[in-house]
Amino acid sequence: MKACGRWLFVAWVVAMLAGTAYGVERFPPPEFTNHQLPATQFAPPRAAAMQYVDVALLAGALGLASYLALVRRSRRGLFFLAVASLAWFGFVRHGCVCPIGAIQNVTLALFDPTYAIGLPVIAFFVLPLLFTLFFGRTFCAAVCPLGALQEMVALHPVSVPQWLAHALGLLRYVYLGLGVALAATGTAFVICRYDPLVGFFRLGGSASMLIVGGCLLLFGVFVGRPYCRFLCPYGAVLGWLSKVSKWHVRITPDECIHCRLCEDVCPYGAIEAPTEGLQPEAMPSARRRLVFFALFLPILVAGGALLGRELAVPLSMLDPTVELAERIWAEDHGLVEGTTDASDAYRNTQRPIDELIRAAVLQRDKLAWAGGAFGAWVGLVIGVKLIWLSRSRKQVDYAPDTANCVSCGRCFWYCPQEHIRQGWIGAEEKDAGRTVTLR
Amino acid sequence: MAENQRKIDRRKFVGDGLRIVGAVGIAGATGFWAGRRAEDDDNLWQIDPHQCVACGNCATHCVLDKSAVVCKHAYAMCGYCNLCTGYFEPDANELTTGAENQLCPTGAIRRTFIEDPYYEYAIDEPLCIGCGKCVKGCTAFGNGSLYLQIDQDRCMHCNECAIAIACPSEAIKRVPAGKPYLPKDQNGGPA
Ligand code: SF4
Ligand code: SF4
Ligand code: SF4
């Protein structure tokens, strides 16, 4: 019983008569005499002021983490701080904004003068860098919620072969370069889009990313902190700064007895064994290799740049303007059937298609440059890594590799010297332990 | 001994140098970015209602289970029609508030009689899921007084809005925190 019939048709006729453009006043608003129009309610932004609280908490947590790691040397303290950081920066504040993602905000601000970046974002980006420059990666130890979550699941870490760890570690730089290239061109914030753990903090999000995150955590049970070691672009930057940090955690302030317990317990493979350095007879060949790599470096960079330019096409698939332009072009040339929401929306704006195509071409040019820079960067990273690996290193004691050590403090717990220093065991017991482990 | 001392001194010198370079670099960059800031502190995501095509992605792509997007009503633009094309199904049996006649899947629009022949429509925001069905109906056949906005109270302020990625009309933009809404009938946000 269609009492009012297909009024849609009537409405359509009315709409036609009134003109088809959107937002036209088809039905003049009535003038009420005794009815007050309600005011539309808009809730003020939550958490705008909260951001400054976050900055203060971040600074406090960084200070506390540095104190716990360097002065108190308390693994337990660091662990509890990590739990607190995970709870606050992760679950309460949903992991946004975080220093890792802030890389993209500062990049975009660098390249796009119209993009305004908030002070809290700058603070989030800069504070951990500064702390790392003085105290090592204490941010990673107990402040970063991603790090904390992975720290907690690292239950049965196996050791990753050195060569594999080095190779996978390069991915961080690749990811950093990609994130920066795509942010600089205003294409996408990939580091945020593919953040594997933020879904857990929000207790929601896209199913595919939740699955990826779940797999990562599962993997993290056996390979300590996989995201930190092989993907985190911010960790890559922190690594450089940590390398030159003023202070850094030491396994023991006392004499190292070479028991190798710390090496066993570090789940992140971040402890470097003592080495004699190169023997004199190996020197000439090592020097030749170094010269070769040094000469090879420019070739790698140039080759990377050339290859990288070719990335413009795949990279632009992430760009909405290029995607839309391609779609509309394909529709107009009969290459695809039908239309999409996006192409309909663009056509509805009555803007000329040429305008869109021009914008897309411009964007693709930009991406060709960004791709070239990205390729050169990857070449540079590989070249420098090769040189770095073939340098001669001399070391007497077991010590953390400051670039990769996240100052988690596990090694303190296992170092017999530390046990004595803290008065947990007497010297005789240590000697017993030493004979056993050195056997 | 002297040789060793020299080595240590050199190490310290290089280390200090790098640290200073790092610190100066970070400080300089901070100054640069701080200088680049516009007046308003921060960016929030908001929907430009004039670009939105009410595709429905807002309801499904937000990282929140219940999307941060809700429908707003610009009362001053509304025709107060009896036959509201944002409220009724195109083939509604009768113009009553019966759920089967309503476009809104959650019945979030309240219809109140004001005076003959005018009815007022108000959004019950806790029920609204931001699907934009009413917006589509109102924009296509009515005055376009219904429109979608991101409720800044519930929005997580994701660094990259998940809906913005999926929005076909690039309607989701960064707006300064001082002006968090883009209302259809007035400027500025909450007074
Ligand atoms: S490496 Fe990255 S993810 Fe890991 S703790 Fe450090 S900043 Fe966080
Ligand atoms: S995704 Fe974009 S076009 Fe679709 S309803 Fe949301 S704002 Fe409107
Ligand atoms: S910023 Fe995040 S929470 Fe807000 S509307 Fe977009 S996806 Fe939803």
Side-chain angles (χ1 to χ4, degrees):
Chain A
M1 228 234 334
K2 308 232 154 158
C4 52
R6 305 275 302 195
W7 56 256
L8 200 133
F9 177 69
V10 182
W12 181 75
V13 173
V14 175
M16 280 292 133
L17 292 177
T20 36
Y22 275 137
V24 153
E25 219 171 74
R26 301 180 178 114
F27 310 98
E31 311 251 342
F32 293 118
T33 41
N34 47 14
H35 175 66
Q36 178 85 43
L37 294 194
T40 317
Q41 298 298 316
F42 297 97
R46 184 199 54 165
M50 223 32 201
Q51 294 213 324
Y52 288 93
V53 176
D54 282 343
V55 171
L57 283 174
L58 175 72
L62 282 167
L64 187 57
S66 306
Y67 168 76
L68 288 171
L70 273 73
V71 183
R72 284 294 301 276
R73 298 175 54 78
S74 161
R75 157 84 187 147
R76 187 172 285 134
L78 284 171
F79 186 81
F80 286 128
L81 182 59
V83 173
S85 300
L86 175 62
W88 180 260
F89 293 110
F91 290 102
V92 178
R93 306 292 292 134
H94 299 284
C96 238
V97 65
C98 80
I100 309 174
I103 297 174
Q104 304 160 108
N105 302 56
V106 297
T107 310
L108 185 57
L110 211 59
F111 284 87
D112 177 1
T114 62
Y115 172 71
I117 182 170
L119 269 187
V121 180
I122 301 179
F124 260 77
F125 180 68
V126 165
L127 279 177
L129 296 182
L130 278 180
F131 269 82
T132 304
L133 199 54
F134 286 93
F135 308 110
R137 293 169 64 176
T138 50
F139 169 75
C140 299
V143 186
C144 176
L146 278 78
L149 192 54
Q150 295 174 86
E151 179 81 39
M152 261 141 240
V153 300
L155 297 172
H156 289 287
V158 298
S159 79
V160 181
Q162 281 273 322
W163 62 270
L164 189 61
H166 281 303
L168 289 175
L170 285 177
L171 282 177
R172 292 178 300 170
Y173 302 99
V174 175
Y175 198 27
L176 173 67
L178 198 67
V180 167
L182 290 172
T185 50
T187 302
F189 276 12
V190 273
I191 300 174
C192 294
R193 200 176 292 183
Y194 302 114
D195 182 332
L197 298 182
V198 76
F200 295 113
F201 300 151
R202 292 180 180 136
L203 305 176
S206 84
S208 49
M209 279 327 287
L210 279 173
I211 293 171
V212 170
C215 293
L216 187 99
L217 284 184
L218 207 63
F219 188 57
V221 174
F222 306 104
V223 174
R225 293 202 187 214
Y227 184 80
C228 300
R229 284 158 77 196
F230 310 131
L231 281 172
C232 180
Y234 196 65
V237 180
L238 291 178
W240 302 326
L241 295 175
S242 182
K243 204 83 217 158
V244 297
S245 68
K246 177 102 183 132
W247 299 282
H248 193 279
V249 288
R250 299 185 54 188
I251 301 171
T252 167
D254 303 324
E255 187 206 356
C256 169
I257 54 168
H258 294 214
C259 67
R260 306 188 55 183
L261 285 175
C262 57
E263 200 189 27
D264 282 346
V265 79
C266 178
Y268 313 125
I271 291 180
E272 283 182 327
T275 144
E276 294 277 295
L278 286 172
Q279 300 308 310
E281 57 273 19
M283 271 310 207
S285 79
R287 202 164 287 144
R288 264 200 308 279
R289 196 164 58 223
L290 212 58
V291 169
F292 172 75
F293 284 148
L295 291 177
F296 194 47
L297 183 65
I299 302 174
L300 273 176
V301 172
L306 278 179
L307 283 177
R309 283 188 73 84
E310 302 304 314
L311 284 178
V313 174
L315 284 184
S316 62
M317 288 200 293
L318 283 165
D319 189 272
T321 313
V322 178
E323 194 196 351
L324 178 60
E326 277 181 345
R327 173 76 205 185
I328 290 193
W329 194 85
E331 281 173 13
D332 286 354
H333 289 73
L335 298 176
V336 285
E337 294 276 317
T339 58
T340 62
D341 277 346
S343 64
D344 286 342
Y346 189 82
R347 289 179 205 277
N348 259 330
T349 61
Q350 327 264 307
R351 294 217 305 269
I353 306 288
D354 282 355
E355 196 181 295
L356 178 70
I357 305 262
R358 260 199 305 279
V361 170
L362 215 68
Q363 183 65 7
R364 188 164 276 181
D365 279 352
K366 263 206 227 163
L367 280 165
W369 280 104
F374 167 68
W377 165 253
V378 174
L380 181 73
V381 163
I382 295 175
V384 169
K385 183 85 193 182
L386 287 175
I387 294 176
W388 186 256
L389 285 179
S390 49
R391 85 204 190 285
S392 165
R393 185 172 62 89
K394 237 195 209 135
Q395 186 172 318
V396 250
D397 289 330
Y398 283 86
D401 162 15
T402 47
N404 291 322
C405 166
V406 291
S407 308
C408 71
R410 277 189 179 79
C411 50
F412 311 164
W413 250 13
Y414 280 76
C415 179
Q417 292 289 72
E418 182 73 6
H419 282 223
I420 296 171
R421 211 175 65 87
Q422 303 273 15
W424 296 332
I425 57 169
E428 325 73 56
E429 288 173 69
K430 171 207 76 173
D431 282 336
R434 181 183 186 181
T435 35
V436 171
T437 44
L438 282 185
R439 191 176 21 148
Chain B
M1 200 64 233
E3 165 71 8
N4 260 345
Q5 191 55 42
R6 249 209 316 283
K7 241 188 192 152
I8 293 170
D9 283 349
R10 198 171 57 219
R11 272 209 109 106
K12 194 162 151 359
F13 178 76
V14 171
D16 281 344
L18 284 173
R19 258 194 302 283
I20 290 169
V21 169
V24 169
I26 294 171
T30 317
F32 175 83
W33 289 312
R36 270 282 170 92
R37 291 172 48 234
E39 261 165 59
D40 286 294
D41 243 2
D42 209 353
N43 294 288
L44 304 174
W45 295 102
Q46 193 47 278
I47 300 174
D48 181 344
H50 297 285
Q51 252 168 277
C52 169
V53 295
C55 66
N57 282 352
C58 272
T60 49
H61 281 73
C62 180
V63 299
L64 294 172
D65 276 344
K66 178 187 184 299
S67 171
V69 173
V70 285
C71 186
K72 298 279 178 187
H73 197 188
Y75 293 96
M77 290 171 67
C78 180
Y80 281 77
C81 322
N82 179 8
L83 195 157
C84 172
T85 53
Y87 185 81
F88 289 111
E89 275 283 359
D91 28 53
N93 287 333
E94 21 179 17
L95 300 186
T96 66
T97 53
E100 71 284 4
N101 300 328
Q102 291 183 32
L103 211 48
C104 180
T106 62
I109 308 181
R110 257 177 293 139
R111 168 176 152 107
T112 350
F113 175 72
I114 303 293
E115 62 183 51
D116 201 46
Y118 298 128
Y119 287 82
E120 187 167 271
Y121 300 90
I123 311 292
D124 189 355
E125 283 189 19
L127 289 181
C128 171
I129 54 168
C131 68
K133 290 208 167 75
C134 61
V135 177
K136 203 165 199 158
C138 178
T139 316
F141 305 114
N143 285 1
S145 56
L146 292 169
Y147 61 102
L148 295 176
Q149 289 285 280
I150 293 175
D151 179 3
Q152 303 289 13
D153 192 25
R154 286 189 303 117
C155 177
M156 301 267 147
H157 313 307
C158 309
N159 209 13
E160 188 184 50
C161 173
I163 311 173
I165 304 169
C167 175
S169 58
E170 290 182 54
I172 300 193
K173 302 175 165 164
R174 289 192 176 90
V175 297
K179 203 170 162 293
Y181 290 91
L182 298 172
K184 264 195 149 174
D185 57 347
Q186 50 181 292
N187 299 319

